[in-house]
Amino acid sequence: STDEGTSRRKSMPEARRPSVETGCRYRSDDWLGNFISIPNSFVLRRIRFHLLSNTIITAIVVMLDRLGYHIKIPLVGHSLLGSFLGLLLVFRTNSAYSRFWEARSVWTKTSSTCRSMALSIGNYMKGHS
């Protein structure tokens, strides 16, 4: 059972981000190098099975359509999914803005406290010099 665990771990991509850890940055003027390095992409390695399955399903649907088998997909699912994603985006944006506003108020309070403390120290030093 130990051999199974190690073989399973070897087949799974590492959960690390090499570009972040090595400090590798992508530049727009090196587009050819970036394009050539796509097969070595960490993200592509993680999503390759989903990407491949979606590509195969799409190819099958297109092939069936060209052969005359027109597949009808109801639009209700897409509209419900779009509405759901819109609401999710609104709630996430609202919570992010709330966190930003809270951090801004804490920073303002900290700056005000530091300023008051510096003025108090300055007044204290003037009185004793």
Side-chain angles (χ1 to χ4, degrees):
S1 71
T2 309
D3 295 331
E4 282 181 25
T6 55
S7 67
R8 245 187 278 148
R9 271 187 251 135
K10 287 179 184 175
S11 66
M12 294 292 292
E14 294 181 23
R16 297 177 358 167
R17 296 181 299 174
S19 63
V20 173
E21 293 171 2
T22 60
C24 174
R25 303 294 287 178
Y26 295 107
R27 297 187 335 258
S28 60
D29 60 340
D30 188 25
W31 65 269
L32 183 61
N34 293 337
F35 184 73
I36 292 172
S37 70
I38 286 176
N40 300 327
S41 168
F42 175 71
V43 174
L44 189 60
R45 279 185 282 159
R46 292 206 46 191
I47 66 168
R48 68 178 172 239
F49 298 114
H50 295 289
L51 185 64
L52 185 63
S53 63
N54 283 327
T55 304
I56 290 171
I57 290 171
T58 303
I60 290 171
V61 168
V62 168
M63 184 182 66
L64 288 173
D65 186 59
R66 296 208 180 197
L67 292 175
Y69 298 104
H70 300 292
I71 298 173
K72 304 257 188 234
I73 299 174
L75 296 177
V76 175
H78 292 286
S79 61
L80 289 176
L81 184 63
S83 302
F84 171 73
L85 288 175
L87 287 173
L88 180 68
L89 182 63
V90 166
F91 287 130
R92 287 184 57 94
T93 303
N94 192 18
S95 66
Y97 185 73
S98 296
R99 287 193 305 267
F100 164 76
W101 194 257
E102 183 180 354
R104 185 180 180 277
S105 64
V106 168
W107 180 253
T108 303
K109 190 175 179 182
T110 303
S111 297
S112 176
T113 303
C114 288
R115 210 174 290 119
S116 297
M117 191 169 71
L119 288 172
S120 296
I121 291 172
N123 288 334
Y124 180 77
M125 295 305 239
K126 282 182 185 176
H128 290 288
S129 25

